[in-house]
């Protein structure tokens, strides 16, 4: 047993029954649970209670999960978010990813599945916080000196390209949309064409891919955006279960 501060989970869910069940189970797992029953209350608690993770229902009264997500990212409240969506439709899946949530689950889900996702997200966040380098698939970024290498060979990346690659690697295995990348790398105020992202991705691929025409590290997810896959380091596989 390690003496550690209890990790805090903010649960934003309007269905009272589900909220109670989840709260109880999360507490049993040793988490401190803060609850909110609508979007506005959720946002307020995200701002003031410094949660380690947020479980966010997509459909909420007041302010829905997507709008809430947008405000969190705008305010750079960089907490892992597990989105709960109601249906298994492709649309909801895309919404879950588009929103910039770190992971998502479609209802109904098993408690075991939920707990596994939570543990994975918290572990990932922990690693990211303490790291000064990002390394995967032969690519290493030193976030302090902002130097990048591929198999030990230095890469020449523009500051924006470096930031873009760092953003993708920080969220390895997750799909990040062009709009999200644009907002995080170029800033919310940047009025530009999402194709700016594509141009930088092309430059990056020329530097880091063995065959830029068959990219393996930076993958295009058609109609959505990009994903970094360094391979080998998938620890939990939880973000990878595609429906068959
Ligand atoms: Ca709901």
């Amino acid at each position: 047993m390690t003496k550690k501060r209890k990790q805090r989970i903010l649960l934003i869910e309007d269905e009272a029954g589900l909220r109670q069940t989840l709260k109880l189970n999360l507490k049993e797992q040793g988490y401190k649970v803060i609850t909110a029953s609508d979007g506005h209350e959720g946002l307020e608690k995200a701002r003031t209670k410094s949660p380690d993770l947020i479980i966010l229902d997509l459909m909420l009264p007041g302010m829905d999960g997507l709008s809430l997500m947008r405000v969190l990212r705008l305010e750079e409240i960089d907490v892992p978010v597990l989105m709960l969506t109601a249906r298994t439709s492709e649309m909801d899946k895309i919404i879950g990813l588009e929103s910039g949530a770190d992971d998502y689950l479609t209802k109904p889900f098993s408690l075991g599945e939920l707990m596994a996702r939570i543990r994975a997200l918290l572990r990932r966040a922990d690693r990211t916080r303490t790291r000064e380098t990002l390394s995967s698939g032969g690519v290493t970024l030193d976030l302090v000196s902002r130097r990048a290498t591929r198999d030990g060979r230095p890469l020449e990346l523009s500051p924006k390209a470096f930031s873009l690659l760092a953003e993708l690697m920080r969220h390895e295995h997750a799909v990040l949309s062009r709009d999200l990348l644009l907002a995080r790398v170029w800033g919310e105020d940047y009025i530009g064409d999402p194709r700016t992202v594509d141009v930088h991705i092309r430059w990056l691929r020329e530097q880091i891919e063995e065959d830029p025409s068959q990219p393996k590290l930076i993958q295009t997810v058609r109609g959505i955006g990009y994903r970094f896959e360094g391979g080998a380091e998938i620890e939990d596989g939880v973000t990878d279960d595609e429906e068959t």
Side-chain angles (χ1 to χ4, degrees):
M1 295 290 276
T2 48
K3 265 187 264 165
K4 247 174 98 177
R5 179 181 76 90
K6 271 193 184 180
Q7 285 177 303
R8 300 147 84 88
I9 295 181
L10 171 58
L11 169 63
I12 309 174
E13 168 63 66
D14 59 318
E15 271 172 65
L18 183 59
R19 193 169 64 239
Q20 274 314 104
T21 309
L22 292 183
K23 182 180 178 179
L24 227 80
N25 280 279
L26 289 165
K27 281 175 89 166
E28 251 169 41
Q29 297 290 316
Y31 298 111
K32 182 170 170 50
V33 186
I34 305 149
T35 58
S37 55
D38 66 53
H40 291 292
E41 189 191 354
L43 178 60
E44 195 47 41
K45 289 187 171 169
R47 283 172 174 150
T48 55
K49 305 282 184 191
S50 47
D52 297 293
L53 181 135
I54 298 175
I55 299 174
L56 176 61
D57 187 28
L58 178 62
M59 300 298 285
L60 287 168
M63 175 187 253
D64 67 28
L66 284 185
S67 316
L68 205 154
M69 209 44 242
R70 220 166 290 132
V71 179
L72 289 182
R73 294 317 183 208
L74 258 170
E75 297 185 2
E76 294 186 348
I77 299 173
D78 203 10
V79 180
V81 174
L82 175 62
M83 180 84 85
L84 304 180
T85 64
R87 291 174 307 276
T88 51
S89 74
E90 197 60 24
M91 198 55 218
D92 280 13
K93 199 166 180 174
I94 290 168
I95 285 173
L97 297 170
E98 270 282 291
S99 67
D102 299 86
D103 202 356
Y104 64 95
L105 266 180
T106 43
K107 296 178 183 175
F109 48 82
S110 74
L111 284 169
E113 182 68 12
L114 177 72
M115 296 305 166
R117 303 278 183 117
I118 289 172
R119 280 194 298 274
L121 283 176
L122 286 171
R123 242 195 336 264
R124 204 198 290 167
D126 217 44
R127 281 201 307 267
T128 310
R129 250 196 303 280
T130 53
R131 256 183 328 199
E132 292 186 335
T133 61
L134 292 167
S135 191
S136 184
V139 178
T140 300
L141 301 185
D142 183 325
L143 300 174
V144 180
S145 66
R146 294 182 69 82
R147 267 194 283 262
T149 56
R150 167 79 216 247
D151 299 326
R153 171 177 57 87
L155 303 175
E156 287 184 27
L157 303 180
S158 70
K160 286 287 186 251
F162 184 95
S163 300
L164 179 61
L165 184 55
E167 195 59 31
L168 286 165
M169 288 180 71
R170 211 173 267 132
H171 302 278
E172 186 170 1
H173 314 306
V175 186
L176 304 181
S177 74
R178 287 175 182 78
D179 287 341
L180 185 84
L181 288 167
L182 207 58
R184 288 197 187 162
V185 175
W186 279 265
E188 291 287 344
D189 298 332
Y190 180 82
I191 314 278
D193 193 321
R195 273 173 298 188
T196 305
V197 175
D198 302 336
V199 171
H200 281 76
I201 293 283
R202 201 160 62 232
W203 291 340
L204 279 174
R205 282 174 172 159
E206 279 164 16
Q207 294 256 345
I208 69 171
E209 299 284 356
E210 265 162 39
D211 178 0
S213 65
Q214 303 274 321
K216 293 207 168 68
L217 295 171
I218 302 178
Q219 301 179 357
T220 302
V221 180
R222 197 179 299 243
I224 304 179
Y226 298 100
R227 162 168 70 200
F228 188 90
E229 289 288 354
E233 288 180 326
I234 302 170
E235 211 178 318
D236 320 286
V238 288
T239 53
D240 282 11
D241 46 1
E242 304 292 340
E243 60 189 357
T244 43

